[in-house]
Amino acid sequence: MIIDPQFIWNGLVVGSLIALAGLGLTLLFGLLNFINIAYGDYMAMGAYFALAANVRLDLPIVVSILIGAVGGGALAVVVHKAIFSKFMDRDPIVLLVVSIGMAFILRNVIRIVWSTDPRYYAVPVEEGPSFLGITFLPEQVAIIAMSLIVLGLLFLLLHRTRIGIAMRAASDDTDLARLRGIDTKRLVIYISLVGGIIAALAGIMLGLDSNLRPNMGFIALIPIFAAVILGGIGDPTGAVIGGYVIGIGQEVSVAFIPSEYKPVVGLVLLIIGLLTRPDGLFGEATR
Amino acid sequence: MSDDSPILETESVTKKFGGLVAVDTVSVSIEQGEITGLIGPNGAGKSTLFNLMSGFLEPNNGAVTLKGEDVTELQPDKRAERGLIRTFQITRELSGMTVMNNMLLAAQENPGERILPLLTQPGTVRAYEDEQRERAEELLKYLELWELREEYAGNLSGGQRKLLELGRSLMCDPDVLLLDEPMAGVNPDLTDHLLDRITELRDEENRTFLIVEHDIETIMSISDSVIGMHNGEILVQGEPETVQQDEQLLEAYLGGEV
Amino acid sequence: MVVSFSLVMVTLIIIGIYAILAIGMNMHWGDTGLLNFAHAGFFAVGAYTSAILTTPVGDAGLLASRTVGFDFPIVVGMIAAPITAGLFGLLLGITSIRLDGDYLAIVTLAGAETARLIISNEAWLTSGVQTLNNIPRPLDESLPAVLPYDVFYFGLVLLVLLGSYALFRHFANAPFGRVLHAIREDEDVPKALGKDTAWFKLKSFALGAALAGLAGSLWAHYVYAIQPTMFLSNLTFSIWAMVIIGGAGSYFGAVAGAVIVTGIRQITRFLPGDIPLGNELPYLRLIIIGVLLIAVLYYRPHGMFGDKERSLAGMSGGGN
């Protein structure tokens, strides 16, 4: 059976999105050690910030994306400072439940401010060039380009800057980092900022790919979690690879199963992963 | 079972954490009805060996045998069912449960832990529970915890928690008990009392003990056999008098303490 | 403020059904410390099982293309609903219950969404995104005229609520519950004492899921028309809020939490339609629940009726 190359291309687009979002989630998890359910709503909020800039203020899409990203980062920092930091001495599971409450709040704020109708960015709808039997839509190309640029910048940040190296160290072992005199409190703020920016960018890409809805981020969470767990929770490279595996798996699955069941592919891959490699694809987990 | 085969054995077990070899091809035999002391400086691999024996860690290599049966692949609960009970170095009292409930939890083959008997045989369940309560009462009185029976375990002092763990283990009626520093933080009067109990259980009921303890004098006084560990390896095993004079072990201790 | 008798009865019935859901969740989270995000899924599986078993084929609305239906008596549906929901819980649990709690959270979240996708797409079985309607109501039209139907149904719900309350409390206070509590505190300890903790967790999970399935059956036979959007994860999170606000580990608290949270969710029904912010009220209510959830976790971790002493035990001083 030959798989339509279009599916692979679509999978790369979706995979880029999941990989990017998964990277942000796993970075946050690595340092804070709890699963943040509100992450999906950071994504949605970022997307709607960009929408406000793009549609309400009539700004060009590139500027709007930047505004959305900054807004998402600021949101994550504020939420961390105002809410999560108050629970840092508690069981990680308590923080997870707190993040449920936070998700509730953010999602319903979106519903009140922007209504539940689907929204669209003001970008021209264009036909894309097509060769080798693949149609390359401009927004798809933009999504892949954006995610590659952000992934590249993040790689530089994590490997070439002092703050990034500190982030990785702390993510590997928070106690050890504290011993080495790394100011983990400040680091948490930076990582919330970076995680929020990434979430917002992923949300904007999601909005460009289809449309904006208040629960868009929450729905996207499942394949993102699947990617993060598949890659080994807290492992940035693993999350990116997990993201592409799930994205391509989802799109290619269309050749075999009804497309309505695409979202289930993430769950199935996740369960296979959990049963066979509970520490993630790449051996020993960092937890 | 025959008396001459060891009740608990490890056969060249190795456990690595990343690059560190915590336990390095260790073979030891624990004889039934004996008290065996396990000594060695910090980081010698004593707790890791405990975890390998009790099933909380799986060895990279080697095998663990309990009563002649290979239990290497068995989960901790399956080993406990076969009569091997361990305590933890850092006490693992169930802080949100009362002292009494900590004890009752340890009762084995409790019909009240299964759904069906709970619904169909309330009488049996109650009778069993009463019986266990009496056993718990006897043990708690012995351990001087009876007054605290309704206290949450999390509110006990460090020494009291150690005692509770010991009591909980005894509730299981084990054949082999692995005790990880059972005397740490326990008040000295009670320590002697406990040692008496342990020797009594050995002498009268043929129970087996493997005890990690930092107080060398204590361990030498009650053990039938002593194992000295260092850097994940067994340096020496034998009668307390022999082990006490082992130069290598002495050196390891001196080196470790500096 | 208009308060009609029938509106009060409807609210009471909904509170009762949610309280049953909260009781199941309390066994998971309060007693065992399991993170279950699939409660809406178990509720849905129960509702659809009961509906499919008790309606005839092809009698389910104009647009539906449902080709399966059994027209069995209602009692068959009410027995089957907890069984299928319990099995679904078992299935989800088997994949991840041995692993850390976080994994169970994600698998159950995804599992509930999968259940909803299947319900939405397999129209031959469930009517898909259409409403599955004409679900029979027990003793409909055979009640004496003096007894309003909602009063009868509330009685039925109350009976199930009291029964499940008594049963689950009995489990929690028995040696079985003691093992669950030990797992919640520190799973290694019961394991070291010879308890097959994975098996206990699965039992706890299946029991709570089965009860949610029974609640689903009660729901389906009351509203007589169900559709997938009734079973969104929002519902799961509301039930979490009930258990936390009431006090995790306390069955009385779970019921009280259900009263409070459902009260907040339903209160706007009693307000006239033309008040300011009228359209935004449903969302405002959910924001209030979210704020309440966080505030309770911060100021009163043991909830309204949870055991304060227990939650403080071991937090201050002591050894090591």
Side-chain angles (χ1 to χ4, degrees):
Chain A
M1 176 161 202
I2 295 164
I3 291 162
D4 190 339
Q6 182 75 50
F7 292 149
I8 308 237
W9 166 250
N10 291 351
L12 280 173
V13 175
V14 177
S16 303
L17 215 153
I18 299 174
L20 189 61
L23 179 57
L25 188 66
T26 219
L27 277 178
L28 282 178
F29 181 90
L31 194 57
L32 300 172
N33 272 313
F34 74 97
I35 291 187
N36 190 346
I37 300 282
Y39 187 79
D41 302 279
Y42 291 173
M43 289 170 61
M45 269 288 191
Y48 276 94
F49 285 150
L51 179 84
N54 182 222
V55 174
R56 188 68 63 86
L57 302 178
D58 222 3
L59 295 169
I61 187 71
V62 177
V63 178
S64 306
I65 290 173
L66 289 177
I67 291 177
V70 171
L75 174 77
V77 171
V78 169
V79 169
H80 182 84
K81 277 290 237 188
I83 309 287
F84 293 136
S85 67
K86 307 274 190 289
F87 292 89
M88 287 321 278
D89 54 342
R90 304 270 284 274
D91 194 302
I93 284 179
V94 172
L95 276 144
L96 192 156
V97 180
V98 170
S99 79
I100 293 178
M102 205 55 236
F104 243 67
I105 296 170
L106 292 177
R107 202 172 315 149
N108 289 291
V109 166
I110 293 175
R111 286 183 175 131
I112 290 175
V113 177
W114 285 286
S115 89
T116 53
D117 304 329
R119 297 299 189 91
Y120 299 85
Y121 291 119
V123 286
V125 182
E126 283 172 38
E127 288 287 305
S130 153
F131 52 89
L132 295 172
I134 308 175
T135 306
F136 300 91
L137 295 174
E139 60 267 25
Q140 290 184 321
V141 177
I143 287 171
I144 290 195
M146 250 170 84
S147 95
L148 287 180
I149 292 170
V150 177
L151 287 177
L153 285 175
L154 268 172
F155 184 84
L156 287 180
L157 175 79
L158 289 176
H159 290 266
R160 294 276 183 277
T161 65
R162 276 192 54 189
I163 186 85
I165 290 165
M167 278 181 193
R168 281 196 304 140
S171 177
D172 274 349
D173 191 334
T174 316
D175 295 330
L176 198 67
R178 198 169 289 132
L179 281 180
R180 283 189 193 146
I182 295 173
D183 181 354
T184 47
K185 270 217 175 106
R186 234 181 59 203
L187 212 53
V188 166
I189 299 298
Y190 285 127
I191 229 159
S192 297
L193 182 70
V194 172
I197 290 174
I198 298 174
L201 287 171
I204 293 166
M205 284 159 59
L206 202 59
L208 281 171
D209 197 34
S210 52
N211 56 29
L212 287 79
R213 287 169 187 273
N215 62 355
M216 60 192 276
F218 177 70
I219 289 173
L221 267 188
I222 289 166
I224 296 170
F225 276 135
V228 167
I229 292 178
L230 213 56
I233 295 185
D235 175 356
T237 320
V240 171
I241 296 174
Y244 280 103
V245 167
I246 289 193
I248 294 171
Q250 267 189 17
E251 296 303 318
V252 170
S253 76
V254 175
F256 309 98
I257 58 170
S259 63
E260 291 84 6
Y261 285 113
K262 252 197 289 187
V264 179
V265 174
L267 174 68
V268 172
L269 287 175
L270 171 64
I271 287 176
I272 293 172
L274 284 180
L275 292 179
T276 54
R277 305 227 46 165
D279 291 334
L281 285 176
F282 312 103
E284 285 190 277
T286 46
R287 53 192 325 212
Chain B
M1 87 170 15
S2 68
D3 263 0
D4 42 348
S5 73
I7 190 164
L8 176 65
E9 249 183 318
T10 68
E11 205 181 302
S12 341
V13 289
T14 298
K15 182 68 196 175
K16 296 175 195 159
F17 298 109
L20 181 85
V21 186
V23 166
D24 195 356
T25 45
V26 164
S27 300
V28 290
S29 318
I30 312 298
E31 301 298 329
Q32 175 158 24
E34 287 197 352
I35 296 173
T36 307
L38 179 58
I39 60 172
N42 285 327
K46 304 184 298 280
S47 286
T48 306
L49 187 60
F50 259 41
N51 282 329
L52 290 168
M53 286 173 163
S54 57
F56 280 88
L57 288 175
E58 213 182 307
N60 301 98
N61 271 313
V64 180
T65 315
L66 176 63
K67 297 180 186 170
E69 182 193 1
D70 184 345
V71 295
T72 318
E73 301 288 320
L74 292 186
Q75 288 285 313
D77 52 300
K78 298 289 176 267
R79 300 189 198 193
E81 278 174 9
R82 285 163 175 73
L84 174 94
I85 298 289
R86 61 87 52 92
T87 65
F88 296 90
Q89 182 188 5
I90 297 167
T91 52
R92 302 286 277 274
E93 79 291 342
L94 299 162
S95 52
M97 291 170 68
T98 62
V99 168
M100 184 49 111
N101 273 332
N102 264 273
M103 294 292 283
L104 292 174
L105 173 72
Q108 297 296 295
E109 285 166 35
N110 191 336
E113 287 175 4
R114 285 178 291 134
I115 301 284
L116 214 56
L118 260 186
L119 297 175
T120 56
Q121 310 165 340
T124 317
V125 170
R126 206 171 313 118
Y128 189 85
E129 190 78 351
D130 289 343
E131 190 187 308
Q132 297 305 318
R133 227 171 252 281
E134 275 171 35
R135 285 187 58 213
E137 177 176 346
E138 190 257 331
L139 280 167
L140 285 177
K141 282 182 173 160
Y142 188 86
L143 297 168
E144 301 179 5
L145 290 173
W146 177 242
E147 303 297 316
L148 295 166
R149 62 191 177 278
E150 291 308 319
E151 188 60 67
Y152 283 108
N155 297 336
L156 301 183
S157 72
Q160 287 166 336
R161 293 181 200 191
K162 280 282 178 198
L163 292 173
L164 177 58
E165 266 211 51
L166 183 64
R168 209 166 59 187
S169 307
L170 293 176
M171 276 296 283
C172 297
D173 208 12
D175 300 320
V176 187
L177 247 176
L178 310 184
L179 302 176
D180 206 340
E181 299 189 23
M183 315 298 171
V186 177
N187 103 48
D189 298 342
L190 208 48
T191 309
D192 293 340
H193 197 48
L194 279 179
L195 293 175
D196 288 346
R197 175 80 176 201
I198 288 172
T199 41
E200 192 183 299
L201 281 167
R202 172 193 60 185
D203 299 339
E204 285 168 21
E205 298 183 26
N206 203 25
R207 312 271 175 182
T208 311
F209 292 87
L210 177 65
I211 305 176
V212 169
E213 187 52 61
H214 271 299
D215 182 354
I216 301 290
E217 251 175 75
T218 307
I219 205 80
M220 292 298 175
S221 69
I222 61 160
S223 297
D224 302 297
S225 164
V226 174
I227 301 170
M229 265 188 103
H230 180 51
N231 282 342
E233 292 176 40
I234 304 291
L235 286 186
V236 53
Q237 175 168 15
E239 290 181 359
E241 297 74 31
T242 336
V243 173
Q244 207 154 14
Q245 282 150 23
D246 188 80
E247 301 258 330
Q248 261 186 305
L249 188 66
L250 209 62
E251 227 166 86
Y253 262 103
L254 290 175
E257 299 297 286
V258 174
Chain C
M1 185 136 164
V2 196
V3 179
S4 75
F5 176 69
S6 66
L7 215 47
V8 171
M9 287 318 297
V10 171
T11 306
L12 284 176
I13 289 169
I14 294 175
I15 288 177
I17 290 175
Y18 281 10
I20 297 171
L21 287 171
I23 285 173
M25 177 73 93
N26 189 51
M27 169 154 281
H28 293 159
W29 171 245
D31 283 337
T32 327
L34 295 174
L35 287 164
N36 159 25
F37 287 146
H39 226 49
F42 301 140
F43 188 52
V45 168
Y48 274 89
T49 301
S50 212
I52 293 163
L53 286 176
T54 57
T55 50
V57 185
D59 190 27
L62 285 173
L63 289 165
S65 50
R66 196 156 66 91
T67 56
V68 174
F70 296 91
D71 212 7
F72 286 143
I74 292 173
V75 65
V76 174
M78 287 197 170
I79 292 170
I83 294 175
T84 50
L87 288 176
F88 180 45
L90 213 54
L91 191 71
L92 285 183
I94 284 170
T95 62
S96 49
I97 217 147
R98 280 176 190 279
L99 305 167
D100 258 355
D102 309 337
Y103 294 102
L104 185 67
I106 305 308
V107 168
T108 49
L109 190 65
E113 284 302 307
T114 306
R116 217 166 51 79
L117 269 179
I118 292 172
I119 290 169
S120 305
N121 288 302
E122 303 303 322
W124 59 276
L125 182 66
T126 61
S127 300
V129 290
Q130 309 288 341
T131 335
L132 194 170
N133 47 29
N134 292 337
I135 303 166
R137 289 179 136 191
L139 299 182
D140 206 7
E141 285 165 20
S142 56
L143 287 176
V146 288
L147 181 64
Y149 191 79
D150 280 1
V151 173
F152 156 73
Y153 208 86
F154 178 64
L156 179 66
V157 170
L158 198 61
L159 206 68
V160 175
L161 172 61
L162 291 177
S164 48
Y165 177 82
L167 185 68
F168 274 56
R169 258 188 65 117
H170 177 57
F171 286 152
N173 292 331
F176 173 71
R178 194 160 56 213
V179 180
L180 300 188
H181 296 161
I183 292 170
R184 176 192 66 203
E185 300 280 327
D186 181 348
E187 191 178 343
D188 279 351
V189 174
K191 230 187 218 169
L193 297 173
K195 316 294 173 191
D196 186 346
T197 51
W199 182 228
F200 276 95
K201 288 198 284 186
L202 275 180
K203 283 201 247 188
S204 157
F205 207 61
L207 279 172
L211 188 58
L214 182 60
S217 174
L218 283 173
W219 174 259
H221 291 290
Y222 177 65
V223 297
Y224 59 73
I226 54 175
Q227 57 186 56
T229 50
M230 287 174 166
F231 307 98
L232 299 175
S233 289
N234 265 350
L235 178 64
T236 300
F237 294 149
S238 291
I239 299 161
W240 267 95
M242 293 170 196
V243 171
I244 303 269
I245 291 167
S250 156
Y251 282 94
F252 185 75
V255 175
V259 174
I260 293 165
V261 173
T262 319
I264 295 173
R265 282 179 69 128
Q266 297 292 324
I267 191 106
T268 46
R269 283 173 179 253
F270 297 95
L271 301 173
D274 52 354
I275 54 159
L277 275 176
N279 291 332
E280 281 76 28
L281 266 179
Y283 311 130
L284 217 50
R285 292 187 314 223
L286 291 173
I287 293 178
I288 292 171
I289 292 173
V291 171
L292 201 59
L293 177 67
I294 295 174
V296 166
L297 282 169
Y298 186 68
Y299 293 106
R300 215 179 150 85
H302 52 288
M304 301 179 57
F305 299 98
D307 191 332
K308 185 178 179 186
E309 255 188 88
R310 191 196 92 203
S311 70
L312 288 179
M315 296 280 278
S316 59
N320 57 81

